[in-house]
Each structure stands twice: as C-alpha cells, then as structure tokens.
Amino acid sequence: MPFPVDAILFVFLLTMAVVIARRQELFSAAMLTGLFSLLSAGLFTLMDALDVAFTEAAVGAGFSTILLLGALTRTTGLEYQQRRPRTRPLMIVFSTGAALIYGTLDMPHFGDPAAAIHHHVTPDYLARTPVEIDVPNVVTAVLASYRGYDTLGETMVIFVGGVGVLLVLTGRWRWRRRVR
Amino acid sequence: MKQPRLLREEVILRVVSKALVPLILLFALYVQFHGDFGPGGGFQAGVIFAAGMILYGLIFGLANLQRVWPPRRVELGIGLGVMLYAGVGVATMVRGGRFLAYGALDPHHPVHGQHLGILLVELGVGITVASTLIAIFYALGRVPPEPRG
C-alpha cells in the first residue's frame, strides 16, 4: 500500500479549516487561509491536475492572502464577537454539508474509466486533436480551440470582474459627477 | 515598542525574493508558451507572472514596481488581452473562416493556423489575467478614498 499522502493532507486540511474558523485575530486567519490553499494545491498535484495546482498555489496561497491582508488594512483586526453560540446557522451549515456528501455518493470513483465523463465527447477530442490541431496537450487544444468561445467568455468575465473591482476600490465615479 | 521596519530592510526577505522573482517570471513565461506541451496555459501563466510581480512590489515597494509597470499601462493591458483574443476571431473571419476557427489563419496548413491561433489566444488570456491582478494590487495599495458627502 502506498504512503497515504492524500489522507494526511486531508487531515491537515480539516484541522486548518477548524483552526481558521475558531481564530479571532483576522491577521493569523488570513495567513492560515494561505496555508489552506497550499495544502489544496498539494492535493491537486496528487490528482495529476497540475494546472489547477498552479492556479491554487498562485491565486489561493499568494494573491488571495494579499487581498485579505489588504482588506484588513481597511477594517479592524478582530472578528466581531458573538455573545452566545447560535444553533440555527450551525444546523443550516451541517445540513448543507450532509446534502453535499450525500451527493458525492452517486459520483463515480476517482479515475474510474467507466465514468460518464470519459465516454461523452472525450474520445472524440482525443482522436481528433493529433490530426486537426497537433499539440501534445489535449487540454490546451480543447480549451483554446474546440471550446474557444467558452474561453473567450471566461476572459471577458475576468475583464468585467477586474474593471468592477477597480471601480469599487478606487472610487472613480467621474462620469457621475459630470452628470450632476 | 520596536520601530516597525520596512520589508525591504529585512535582509532575508530581500535576498530570497531577489533570487526568486526572476525564476517565477521565467516559470510564468514557460507555462505561457509551453502550454501546448505541458500543463498550464494563459490563465496559469498570467497568475504566476502577477504573483512574481506582486512579490517584488511587496518587498521593494509599490513605487519601484510602478516604474516597471505604470498603473495606466496595466489598466490598458486588461482590455488589450481581451481585444487580442477577440481580434484573432475577427482575423479568422476576415480570412474567410468562422469566428475563432484558427485553421483559416494559414490556409495551406490549417494545423499551423491552429498553432498560431492557440498561441495568440493564450497570450491574450495571460495579458488580461496578469494585468487584472496587478491592477487590483495597485488599487489595494492606494490610500482609501475619503468618503464623499
């Protein structure tokens, strides 16, 4: 039996989540979310999803932490204190979690060759890519060429999201002042 | 109480980040232009590139980073990437193909057209992603605007 690295990572991940939730200083909570993302990146690497792992390590562990710290400079360093534990939100969270776990019971096992996703359009892409596009990485061929429209849409989403965040953060409402 | 020190005065941070930043940028370019062969593509490359630049900005100061990437140019980059992507689609239509059907870029060798199209499109994604992240970092580094009455 191989060394269960993924099980250990999952235990760390769970511990990290509990620690973050119980933390009251927001600074250390922000730093720990960075570690949480780094652990997730490790898990993605174990699942051979290297591109997702890159993204998680750079965005989750790097950029999001900086975003959280930047947000912290504009607010207080301590979490808002609840007087007594509230049961209703806890029950909603637990039932949502239970529903999600119940949902995974029907899913095919990780790497199952009989899974539906391996039998729909995937064989077609795998067969056509060497002939039509001739790049070794089929993922790139699917994302950039076969599904080029989707990727253009995703880039637009980043564009619109970025412009929206910049407008909110820098408060450039010049057009509005001119109307007044 | 100890006087707070600037990050650039911390020797370990300065030396380590100075050694790491070029490697991070090189890795970003590798992920960008080697995406056809290995894992990754424009999105990952843009994110890694921005992370490298932001590390530089954190340690050596926003002013130094803005000498390399002026805020105005970064904001233009957000739109430029999308325009490059959509522009490839327009170019394929001008060449008589369908929108984003890269084969039309090189009518004699449609496969070469595909290679060129994928390269340009991924570059567009990378430019938009990197510019967006760096621009948000700049916006965060700014003093919060006074509330207007």
Side-chain angles (χ1 to χ4, degrees), chain A residues 50-52 54-55 58-59 62-63 66-68 70-71 73-74 130-138 140-141 143-153 155-156 158-163 165-166 168-173 177 180, chain B residues 27 31 34-41 43-44 47-48 51 54-55 58 72 75 78-79 81-82 85-86 98-100 102 110-111 114-115 118 121-122 124-125 128-129 132-137 139-145 148-149:
Chain A
L50 275 182
D51 41 356
V52 188
F54 286 168
T55 317
V59 176
F63 191 66
I66 289 164
L67 274 189
L68 287 175
T73 63
R74 296 172 181 222
V131 184
E132 291 180 357
I133 303 194
D134 190 30
V135 295
N137 185 354
V138 182
T140 299
L143 289 183
S145 188
Y146 291 124
R147 297 290 181 90
Y149 279 30
D150 296 14
T151 310
L152 177 60
T155 315
M156 292 284 215
I158 294 167
F159 170 74
V160 173
V163 170
V165 168
L166 287 178
V168 171
L169 280 179
T170 58
R172 278 195 208 161
W173 300 101
R177 242 187 281 163
R180 275 183 206 163
Chain B
F27 184 60
V31 172
H34 211 251
D36 309 358
F37 299 91
F43 186 82
Q44 285 79 16
V47 164
I48 295 170
I54 288 170
L55 175 65
L58 275 180
R72 185 92 195 122
E75 283 172 14
I78 301 176
V82 180
Y85 198 136
R98 283 169 295 147
F99 187 65
L100 292 178
Y102 313 128
V111 170
Q114 288 283 351
H115 288 179
I118 290 176
V121 156
E122 295 276 6
V125 176
T128 293
V129 170
T132 308
L133 293 188
I134 295 176
I136 293 176
F137 178 65
L140 272 178
R142 226 178 267 207
V143 185
R148 288 203 191 91

Side-chain angles (χ1 to χ4, degrees), chain A residues 54, chain B residues 15-32 44-45 47-53 55-56:
Chain A
F54 286 168
Chain B
V15 171
V16 170
S17 59
K18 205 162 198 170
L20 276 182
V21 167
L23 292 179
I24 296 175
L25 297 185
L26 196 65
F27 184 60
L29 291 177
Y30 169 80
V31 172
Q32 173 79 55
Q44 285 79 16
V47 164
I48 295 170
F49 191 85
M53 294 319 306
L55 175 65
Y56 179 79

Side-chain angles (χ1 to χ4, degrees), chain A residues 57-121:
Chain A
V59 176
F63 191 66
S64 301
T65 313
I66 289 164
L67 274 189
L68 287 175
L69 292 181
L72 268 184
T73 63
R74 296 172 181 222
T75 172
T76 57
L78 278 180
E79 198 180 348
Y80 173 70
Q81 293 292 313
Q82 291 287 353
R83 283 290 157 80
R84 54 195 168 78
R86 286 160 65 178
T87 46
R88 205 192 292 170
L90 195 68
M91 278 167 61
I92 293 175
V93 167
F94 267 107
S95 52
T96 312
L100 287 174
I101 290 172
Y102 175 72
T104 62
L105 294 181
D106 278 349
M107 280 171 71
H109 287 287
F110 176 68
D112 182 5
I117 192 163
H118 300 309
H119 293 280
H120 182 46
V121 287

